[in-house]
Amino acid sequence: GLPAGGGAASVVAQAAGPAYGSPCYVPHRGSTRRALVSRGNLTTQTLELIDLESGNSETLLPRGAYPAWSGSGYILYQTDAAVPGLWAQRFVPQTQTVDGEQVLLVNEGSYVSVSADGTLVRQDGSNASRRLIWRNREGRKLGPVDIPASQSIAEIAVSPDGTRALYSANERSNRDIWVVDLARGLRTRLTFSPGLDVAGVWSPTGTEIVFSSARTNNPLNLFVQSADGSGEAREVVASADRK
């Protein structure tokens, strides 16, 4: 937990085993605060109800990811973190249980959020092909970067001099970091490990990149590598936490 005005963070629930993620508050009786979280890996998750005073949790739904509370009395969520589609399940604050059948609201959409006045926002096009697109600061589309479209392009970072961009993509059956020359559209694959390589950022000089990798063990540790692909990546931060 963290005070809304800033301050020191404190642990309210410690996961033993699969990690917690995507918390949202739900209504409760008395002074006991409760939150709904997803728990599991990137594809298979359960929805857990956590008592934020004791840290204890219980499974509320056997399948669910990215929960959001709606003031209409429903929990909104995806049944699978990797599959778009928004579902609704009635939640009873008095008993802290679910009631009735889950209902499919829409076949598309991910990462739903609902405001206090009932306004709902969601991300659409989760499975659509993605391209890198230039826009100016007013939002006007200037044109695409000349590289193949992919469903998996993510985590884009433009170099300090504006001539290149890093991104991660799941090509050749593995997610790696690539760099593209923005003027010519020429791509270079920078990482080749069988583990996950993601979230690259540039050094201030543009000569090196720092990225997260699961090449040594399950947590994502931080590695540094030359931005031109030469030499070996070296591990600079290693711990049991995902970084």
Side-chain angles (χ1 to χ4, degrees):
L2 184 69
S10 60
V11 177
V12 293
Q14 185 73 45
Y20 294 137
S22 307
C24 70
Y25 280 108
V26 292
H28 55 272
R29 294 194 304 169
S31 60
T32 301
R33 297 171 301 151
R34 288 188 168 86
L36 196 64
V37 300
S38 55
R39 184 177 188 180
N41 56 36
L42 293 177
T43 56
T44 303
Q45 299 183 356
T46 60
L47 284 188
E48 306 282 321
L49 184 65
I50 293 184
D51 184 321
L52 297 178
E53 310 302 329
S54 67
N56 296 328
S57 68
E58 60 180 287
T59 300
L60 197 63
L61 293 173
R63 292 185 62 193
Y66 308 126
W69 168 250
S70 166
S72 62
Y74 286 85
I75 298 166
L76 307 180
Y77 59 98
Q78 293 171 237
T79 56
D80 189 312
V83 178
L86 301 181
W87 294 75
Q89 173 72 67
R90 181 175 291 279
F91 179 76
V92 183
Q94 292 77 9
T95 60
Q96 299 290 286
T97 59
V98 293
D99 180 56
E101 299 293 326
Q102 60 180 355
V103 178
L104 178 64
L105 300 180
V106 288
N107 286 317
E108 296 293 333
S110 302
Y111 311 112
V112 64
S113 182
V114 185
S115 70
D117 68 0
T119 301
L120 183 150
V121 294
R122 61 191 172 114
Q123 175 179 301
D124 269 344
S126 299
N127 283 338
S129 293
R130 301 174 182 175
R131 303 191 70 93
L132 296 184
I133 300 291
W134 276 116
R135 291 183 182 271
N136 65 15
R137 292 184 181 275
E138 288 70 46
R140 183 168 61 87
K141 182 177 176 181
L142 302 179
V145 177
D146 187 21
I147 65 171
S150 169
Q151 292 184 9
S152 64
I153 291 175
E155 302 155 346
I156 305 151
V158 178
S159 64
D161 64 4
T163 64
R164 295 166 293 166
L166 291 173
Y167 64 93
S168 69
N170 191 31
E171 298 188 33
R172 302 177 188 177
S173 301
N174 193 63
R175 179 163 287 276
D176 286 290
I177 293 177
W178 295 68
V179 64
V180 56
D181 182 309
L182 294 170
R184 297 181 294 170
L186 297 179
R187 300 187 303 148
T188 303
R189 182 181 175 187
L190 293 185
T191 63
F192 290 86
S193 78
L196 195 71
D197 294 323
V198 295
V201 296
W202 296 89
S203 68
T205 61
T207 59
E208 293 182 318
I209 65 167
V210 180
F211 61 96
S212 299
S213 177
R215 63 184 62 193
T216 53
N217 47 34
N218 286 328
L220 291 173
N221 290 331
L222 297 184
F223 288 75
V224 169
Q225 181 172 319
S226 173
D228 63 10
S230 63
E232 296 293 327
R234 67 183 189 278
E235 191 174 50
V236 292
V237 179
S239 71
D241 301 314
R242 291 169 57 91
K243 292 158 291 299

